[in-house]
Amino acid sequence: MDGLSVTQSFYQGKNIFISGATGFMGKVLLEKLLYSCPGIGKIYILIRPKRGRSIDLRLDDMFKLPMFQRIRQEKKEVIQKVKPMDGDITSDNLGLTDEQRETLINEVHLVFHLAATLRMEAKLKDSVEMNVLGTRRMLDLAKQMKHLQLFLHLSTAFCHVDQEELGETIYDSPDDPNDVIRLCEWMDESTIDMITPKLLHPHPNTYTYTKRLAETLVAREYSNIPCAIVRPSIVTPAVEEPVPGWVDNLNGPTGILVAAGKGVLRSMLCDTRYRAEVIPVDFAINFMILMTCAIVTKKKPASIPVFNLTQNQELPVTWGDILKKGRKIIYQYPFEGQAWYPGGNARSNKFVHYLIVFFFHIIPAYLIDFLMLIFRQKRLMYVIHHLMKFLFYFGILYLIYKHFSLARYLDLISQQVKSLPIVSGVMKSI
């Protein structure tokens, strides 16, 4: 159509189903599609009531966020295209009614499966319910969709810890996903907790383990439905869109910098020479939108398309670089209500690190926890423990990522598409 790019024309009239639309990446995906793809069809989102708020109230609250400001000001009418579906990824049939399922089966062209639990300390049963069984439920529904063009599954670049070099391919899972699902269904929780370390090895947590199992489920369905897998690294705040610096959580490096800025974090186990595999959320979402168009409009490959969405050697940045820049900003714009003067360092020596942790993390944390307990406030020890587990894995991990598929598909993208604002962020990052 006149005035529309190849990508925008592709999304013209497309009906989309998104799981995890209320999450960090889901909200950015929803905003990008509504703002940058005029003429897009309906966008169905899976959403459940939460904390006494109905799905309609939650949707209203979401669209009042600063990240949706440009839509409210310039294209308020597109909000009507969002159709909330009262459901839950952890419920049978996604918690949808027969009528809702029929609507999705008859109307949806594209599925973006983003819903997942990111809690690395989550119990295995909870992670399997959300990340593995939830993915299987989404696939079961997608297989019935009459006009499905692509099922895009969001994975993680850290789910194959046994690979020194991670190629854009599917690796065998150590366990059968369906066997693990059955195990979690009939075993009691104490028994599951007992065997969890054995099942997880060499994975450091249930998150990376279950995301690997989910990849296996998706790959097995490639002969039945068109699907693809995207593996982003650590997703960080937006560079440009929808709002520079937008983030709605304290996961990953954001939480680390906040904890250090508050004076809570005094030491972390991290080799500052290692690359920080991070990707801004707007780059990741731009890529997903672009590659959906590229995959659907090209000949179906023999094997499932897999994309490692990492910066690798393209824009190398180390953990030392991030900490240096973060410290400079924290000193220039200090937080209110600091627990301690910002300081501390990254250490690669475990003995020195744990010595500092004992005197400057554990002892102060127990003292503060005692006061928090007296005043009936949330305790601090858990927060520090969670941060330490994150840093131990992602601060020490060193992987080499390959971008075979990414390069192959980019060669097929016209200069017209490359110049679009909707994908310019992606093109700058590679």
Side-chain angles (χ1 to χ4, degrees):
M1 296 180 65
D2 293 340
L4 296 182
S5 69
V6 174
T7 305
Q8 291 169 327
S9 296
F10 168 78
Y11 282 96
Q12 195 81 356
K14 291 289 192 300
N15 295 323
I16 298 174
F17 180 43
I18 304 176
S19 70
T22 58
F24 176 42
M25 294 186 71
K27 285 198 287 282
V28 178
L29 172 63
L30 182 62
E31 196 274 347
K32 276 292 184 69
L33 289 172
L34 290 173
Y35 185 82
S36 300
C37 298
I40 196 170
K42 300 172 185 176
I43 301 181
Y44 297 100
I45 65 172
L46 191 67
I47 183 172
R48 60 185 171 89
K50 191 175 183 181
R51 295 170 187 163
R53 307 286 287 178
S54 67
I55 62 171
D56 292 325
L57 289 176
R58 287 192 67 195
L59 197 61
D60 289 341
D61 293 341
M62 185 173 70
F63 280 119
K64 291 177 183 177
L65 294 173
M67 66 168 293
F68 288 99
Q69 181 177 354
R70 63 179 182 176
I71 286 183
R72 293 196 304 269
Q73 292 178 346
E74 303 173 32
K75 303 181 178 182
K76 193 172 183 179
E77 68 282 356
V78 301
I79 295 177
Q80 303 302 318
K81 296 185 177 185
V82 180
K83 308 296 181 182
M85 291 276 189
D86 189 346
D88 190 341
I89 199 76
T90 62
S91 299
D92 291 338
N93 294 322
L94 302 176
L96 299 172
T97 64
D98 291 340
E99 183 180 354
Q100 289 174 322
R101 290 179 66 85
E102 281 301 314
T103 298
L104 296 175
I105 290 170
N106 292 322
E107 295 188 12
V108 169
H109 301 96
L110 304 169
V111 175
F112 290 90
H113 177 41
L114 280 63
T117 177
L118 305 180
R119 292 173 53 233
M120 298 179 198
E121 79 286 357
K123 290 183 175 294
L124 179 61
K125 187 169 186 176
D126 296 333
S127 286
V128 168
E129 179 72 32
M130 187 79 171
N131 296 346
V132 188
L133 187 51
T135 299
R136 191 172 75 177
R137 292 180 179 123
M138 288 289 293
L139 288 167
D140 289 342
L141 177 60
K143 285 189 290 186
Q144 300 178 57
M145 293 179 177
K146 299 177 180 178
H147 308 290
L148 182 68
Q149 296 180 346
L150 186 68
F151 180 100
L152 188 68
H153 173 71
L154 183 68
S155 185
T156 172
F158 301 101
C159 66
H160 297 282
V161 297
D162 53 341
Q163 302 295 323
E164 292 185 6
E165 294 188 5
L166 187 66
E168 293 185 315
T169 186
I170 293 295
Y171 296 93
D172 291 335
S173 176
D175 304 301
D176 186 280
N178 293 310
D179 288 344
V180 176
I181 290 173
R182 285 192 292 270
L183 179 146
C184 290
E185 288 175 340
W186 67 266
M187 272 192 177
D188 61 83
E189 194 163 319
S190 61
T191 306
I192 295 174
D193 292 342
M194 188 182 304
I195 66 173
T196 292
K198 179 70 174 177
L199 280 175
L200 294 190
H201 183 78
H203 292 265
N205 51 59
T206 58
Y207 169 67
T208 60
Y209 174 71
T210 53
K211 292 299 282 184
R212 181 171 186 168
L213 295 177
E215 279 197 7
T216 301
L217 285 178
V218 176
R220 287 178 179 177
E221 297 295 341
Y222 186 60
S223 60
N224 301 319
I225 59 173
C227 47
I229 295 173
V230 173
R231 297 177 183 146
S233 54
I234 301 171
V235 182
T236 57
V239 172
E240 295 180 356
E241 299 178 284
V243 178
W246 168 258
V247 66
D248 67 352
N249 61 69
L250 294 179
N251 295 333
T254 306
I256 296 167
L257 294 176
V258 170
K262 287 283 188 177
V264 174
L265 196 62
R266 314 305 298 178
S267 178
M268 63 180 191
L269 189 59
C270 175
D271 192 327
T272 56
R273 299 169 299 174
Y274 281 5
R275 292 194 307 270
E277 289 294 346
V278 296
I279 187 79
V281 64
D282 46 344
F283 286 16
I285 295 302
N286 285 342
F287 175 86
M288 290 168 60
I289 292 174
L290 168 66
M291 296 317 298
T292 297
C293 170
I295 294 170
V296 173
T297 55
K298 303 302 175 184
K299 182 180 178 180
K300 183 178 179 180
S303 58
I304 182 172
V306 179
F307 304 95
N308 294 334
L309 190 48
T310 63
Q311 50 93 348
N312 200 31
Q313 297 285 4
E314 306 299 336
L315 292 173
V317 57
T318 66
W319 286 114
D321 295 332
I322 289 180
L323 296 175
K324 183 179 179 181
K325 293 178 185 295
R327 181 176 287 137
K328 179 180 178 181
I329 294 172
I330 286 170
Y331 287 151
Q332 187 175 0
Y333 304 100
F335 286 108
E336 294 180 352
Q338 293 179 346
W340 207 335
Y341 186 80
N345 285 293
R347 296 173 174 86
S348 56
N349 186 298
K350 288 186 179 181
F351 176 77
V352 175
H353 165 71
Y354 287 122
L355 193 66
I356 298 296
V357 165
F358 179 76
F359 286 105
F360 295 98
H361 283 177
I362 296 177
I363 292 179
Y366 274 117
L367 291 174
I368 295 174
D369 279 358
F370 178 71
L371 295 175
M372 292 293 185
L373 184 63
I374 293 175
F375 292 104
R376 297 182 179 181
Q377 300 294 319
K378 186 175 181 180
R379 291 180 291 173
L380 183 65
M381 192 64 192
Y382 168 81
V383 178
I384 295 178
H385 178 63
H386 180 69
L387 282 172
M388 289 302 98
K389 288 196 296 183
F390 170 84
L391 288 167
F392 178 77
Y393 177 52
F394 295 101
I396 299 298
L397 182 69
Y398 183 87
L399 287 175
I400 299 174
Y401 296 93
K402 296 180 178 179
H403 301 287
F404 297 132
S405 298
L406 179 59
R408 182 175 69 248
Y409 274 89
L410 288 177
D411 287 340
L412 301 175
I413 300 170
S414 67
Q415 292 300 321
Q416 179 187 14
V417 178
K418 290 182 181 180
S419 65
L420 285 174
I422 193 172
V423 298
S424 60
V426 172
M427 305 311 298
K428 292 176 185 176
S429 68
I430 54 179

